[in-house]
Amino acid sequence: MSVQDYLDKHTLSRKIEDAVNAAVRAKTADPVLFISNHMRKAVPSAITKVRARQILDSRGIPTVEVDLYTNKGMFRASAPSGAPSGMYGAIELRDGDKATYLGNGVSKAVKNINEKISEAIVGMDPILQNQIDQAMIDLDKTEKKGELGANAILAVSIAACRAGAAEKEVPLYKHIADLAGGGNHVLPVPAFTLISGGKHAGNNLALREIMILPVGAHTFEVALQMGSETYHHLKAVVAEKYGPHGCNVVEDGGLAPDVTSFREGLDLVMEAIGRTGYADKLKIAIDVAATDFCIGSKYDLDFKSPKKSGQNFKSGEEMIEIYKELCRDYPIVSIEDPFDKEDWEQVKFFSGLEICQVVGDGLLMSNPKRIERAIQENACNALLLKVNQLGTVTEAIEVVKMAKDAKWGVVISQRSGETDDSFLADLSVGLATGQIKAGAPCRGERLAKYNQIIRIEEEIGDQASYVGENWRQS
């Protein structure tokens, strides 16, 4: 084939002429760079290759990582992972071979991406997130993504979202906002984990997390500073009272001193807050994760103490009184999972008191049907969103819309098994959730999210809006 035949076959002469004319009109100082970029934009947008592998998450447990290629380049994403979400959440596909990674390998999920999902989505336009996600859902054919694995589908979905943003030449958070129908880009209030307990820690504290919310900061950067300083003041307080071993950290970076009661842990946090000088700018949130210590219709506050377990049972009514007293005595503005995941009556009654934000995690499992029921029954007033319980970016956008339409708060949440993927930061800003829970201001996989929001705030510049006191109305 001659050069002229080649040019004619691909209509290159016309395309090159168009690029040169565009460069002339733009009066560009670098015509070669301008023409190169112009020609690149003329290439049809399409996914050209998808490649997955097994990596380890922050717990040292396997998870899925995906490289998705388009004409713009390569886009990487990895799936977060947590404790199994039971009958209501999407299913992570694990190998089950106890001889390899104690059964936690994800080679089956990786194979599904490389051999099945790749074939289904190569050639698709990465901008069309909904179509890509639906193609994977249709390929899986199960309600909870148990055939291909939610971990496989989610990693591809996030990678495709990044590719779509690149194709549009906009930041990821802006692309997510566009997918959700537009809206303001607000920077969320971070819920920093300070003290950990429950099944996540080896101490005797029944509740899972005590967190602080820097609602009085004027920027996210200042909020991060407040969180870091409070965390380090708390380390000093804990070291003074419990010795250096009390400063050991758990999976999400929270400290785990051997406290035995809600109030003992809250008093430590209050002392740390007092040392910072930010007392009027910080509020407290707690994640009770009450399902972990619910036995029948009672709650065993000493379930982690072998010698005491069974001696400190509380009824649902007694738990309500405990929460009312805690909200009176401490600046608590949010309580997550105050009751068992099936204790709808108690959580409805407690939410109706309007004492604080009541967040549904185990109650909802990010499941649209559970969310719809909770909205209809006024069972809580905030959604804790864990994207891996759904499996696609599109479904995450849809449940956030459900929550916002109900005037709920929305908390974008980490999992115990995280990676250095910062997608949750862009998701929170893009969907204007107003709240993000990414762990302590400690450990790289947690800070990856917080540091990304710092970058986003810098990029937006003077137009950046930190929700602060309006964290519930974003």
Side-chain angles (χ1 to χ4, degrees), residues 388-401:
N388 74 312
Q389 291 180 338
L390 288 163
T392 67
V393 173
T394 298
E395 290 167 296
I397 292 171
E398 289 170 351
V399 297
V400 168
K401 186 178 187 304

Side-chain angles (χ1 to χ4, degrees), residues 4 27 59 104 143 228 240 262 278 294 310 347 414 441 448:
Q4 188 60 51
K27 298 179 181 179
R59 305 167 299 175
N104 290 316
E143 182 180 359
S228 174
E240 292 166 11
F262 292 11
Y278 300 136
C294 181
V347 75
Q414 61 172 0

Side-chain angles (χ1 to χ4, degrees), residues 11-240:
T11 63
L12 288 178
S13 296
R14 177 62 181 273
K15 292 174 182 176
I16 293 170
E17 183 179 354
D18 288 345
V20 172
N21 287 335
V24 172
R25 289 193 299 271
K27 298 179 181 179
T28 177
D30 190 340
V32 174
L33 179 60
F34 184 94
I35 292 170
S36 173
N37 289 334
H38 188 91
M39 294 293 289
R40 188 180 296 114
K41 290 177 182 179
V43 178
S45 172
I47 296 170
T48 58
K49 178 182 173 184
V50 183
R51 186 70 186 171
R53 66 183 62 87
Q54 177 174 271
I55 63 170
L56 297 185
D57 67 21
S58 57
R59 305 167 299 175
I61 295 175
T63 191
V64 178
E65 182 177 81
V66 168
D67 293 346
L68 183 146
Y69 295 79
T70 73
N71 298 320
K72 291 282 187 179
M74 185 273 284
F75 305 92
R76 178 170 291 163
S78 54
S81 176
S85 54
M87 67 184 75
Y88 304 116
I91 296 171
E92 289 181 346
L93 185 61
R94 300 282 177 181
D95 296 343
D97 179 5
K98 297 296 183 182
T100 305
Y101 286 115
L102 307 179
N104 290 316
V106 292
S107 62
K108 292 179 181 178
V110 167
K111 184 177 181 181
N112 284 341
I113 294 171
N114 291 336
E115 297 183 1
K116 297 179 180 180
I117 293 177
S118 175
E119 182 178 347
I121 69 169
V122 163
M124 296 186 73
D125 186 338
I127 292 176
L128 304 178
Q129 185 74 39
N130 180 66
Q131 293 183 23
I132 293 168
D133 289 343
Q134 191 60 51
M136 292 189 287
I137 291 170
D138 293 343
L139 184 65
D140 180 87
K141 295 186 176 66
T142 67
E143 182 180 359
K144 297 192 291 183
K145 304 176 178 67
E147 180 65 26
L148 298 176
N151 44 350
I153 293 172
L154 179 61
V156 175
S157 183
I158 294 174
C161 194
R162 284 200 168 97
E167 187 62 38
K168 290 164 58 179
E169 298 186 346
V170 299
L172 179 56
Y173 64 86
K174 176 66 167 61
H175 177 51
I176 292 170
D178 292 344
L179 293 172
N184 297 326
H185 307 134
V186 298
L187 304 168
V189 165
F192 294 116
T193 303
L194 293 190
I195 290 181
S196 295
K199 289 186 176 180
H200 285 190
N203 55 18
N204 290 314
L205 180 62
L207 67 77
R208 185 173 291 176
E209 291 171 287
I210 301 176
M211 298 164 278
I212 55 167
L213 282 66
V215 299
H218 63 280
T219 66
F220 186 87
E221 183 178 11
V222 171
L224 186 58
Q225 176 186 337
M226 290 179 176
S228 174
E229 291 177 4
T230 308
Y231 182 82
H232 287 284
H233 278 297
L234 179 63
K235 287 181 71 173
V237 171
V238 168
E240 292 166 11

Side-chain angles (χ1 to χ4, degrees), residues 150-471:
N151 44 350
I153 293 172
L154 179 61
V156 175
S157 183
I158 294 174
C161 194
R162 284 200 168 97
E167 187 62 38
K168 290 164 58 179
E169 298 186 346
V170 299
L172 179 56
Y173 64 86
K174 176 66 167 61
H175 177 51
I176 292 170
D178 292 344
L179 293 172
N184 297 326
H185 307 134
V186 298
L187 304 168
V189 165
F192 294 116
T193 303
L194 293 190
I195 290 181
S196 295
K199 289 186 176 180
H200 285 190
N203 55 18
N204 290 314
L205 180 62
L207 67 77
R208 185 173 291 176
E209 291 171 287
I210 301 176
M211 298 164 278
I212 55 167
L213 282 66
V215 299
H218 63 280
T219 66
F220 186 87
E221 183 178 11
V222 171
L224 186 58
Q225 176 186 337
M226 290 179 176
S228 174
E229 291 177 4
T230 308
Y231 182 82
H232 287 284
H233 278 297
L234 179 63
K235 287 181 71 173
V237 171
V238 168
E240 292 166 11
K241 295 180 181 292
Y242 301 90
H245 65 278
C247 296
N248 291 339
V249 301
V250 300
E251 289 172 344
D252 64 357
L255 304 180
D258 194 20
V259 297
T260 58
S261 71
F262 292 11
R263 286 183 177 271
E264 186 179 357
L266 287 164
D267 287 341
L268 291 174
V269 171
M270 289 302 294
E271 185 170 344
I273 290 174
R275 294 187 184 188
T276 65
Y278 300 136
D280 61 333
K281 300 181 184 300
L282 300 174
K283 300 297 182 183
I284 292 177
I286 59 175
D287 175 8
V288 182
T291 297
D292 288 350
F293 54 91
C294 181
I295 301 175
S297 61
K298 300 281 188 178
Y299 295 89
D300 184 4
L301 299 185
D302 288 329
F303 82 105
K304 296 170 69 177
S305 305
K307 295 181 180 179
K308 295 181 180 179
S309 184
Q311 300 177 30
N312 193 14
F313 280 116
K314 301 293 182 184
S315 67
E317 292 78 9
E318 289 172 320
M319 292 299 292
I320 287 175
E321 292 305 311
I322 289 173
Y323 298 141
K324 287 166 67 176
E325 291 174 3
L326 292 177
C327 290
R328 180 195 66 205
D329 298 339
Y330 301 92
I332 295 174
V333 295
S334 181
I335 299 180
E336 180 182 331
D337 279 352
F339 302 98
D340 179 72
K341 67 179 183 295
E342 302 298 346
D343 197 345
W344 288 83
E345 292 306 312
Q346 294 294 351
V347 75
K348 281 192 289 185
F349 181 81
F350 183 61
S351 295
L353 298 177
E354 297 183 350
I355 295 172
C356 64
Q357 173 177 261
V358 180
V359 183
D361 175 17
L363 179 76
L364 304 176
M365 295 288 185
S366 304
N367 183 298
K369 294 179 181 177
R370 303 276 288 188
I371 295 169
E372 184 177 6
R373 176 183 173 184
I375 290 171
Q376 292 175 348
E377 299 185 17
N378 297 312
C380 57
N381 53 40
L383 163 68
L384 190 87
L385 175 61
K386 295 175 175 175
V387 290
N388 74 312
Q389 291 180 338
L390 288 163
T392 67
V393 173
T394 298
E395 290 167 296
I397 292 171
E398 289 170 351
V399 297
V400 168
K401 186 178 187 304
M402 287 177 65
K404 287 193 167 193
D405 286 348
K407 308 301 181 185
W408 279 16
V410 179
V411 187
I412 297 290
S413 179
Q414 61 172 0
R415 298 310 314 266
S416 55
E418 279 290 341
T419 71
D420 59 0
D421 193 313
S422 62
F423 178 75
L424 293 183
D426 287 85
L427 186 68
S428 181
V429 175
L431 298 183
T433 63
Q435 302 172 66
I436 184 170
K437 175 183 173 182
C442 167
R443 296 185 53 131
E445 75 282 356
R446 314 294 155 177
L447 290 169
K449 286 70 169 171
Y450 296 135
N451 289 339
Q452 175 63 4
I453 300 178
I454 288 288
R455 299 182 193 104
I456 293 171
E457 183 172 57
E458 180 182 273
E459 181 176 280
I460 297 174
D462 293 340
Q463 301 302 311
S465 175
Y466 174 68
V467 293
E469 299 284 355
N470 298 314
W471 55 283

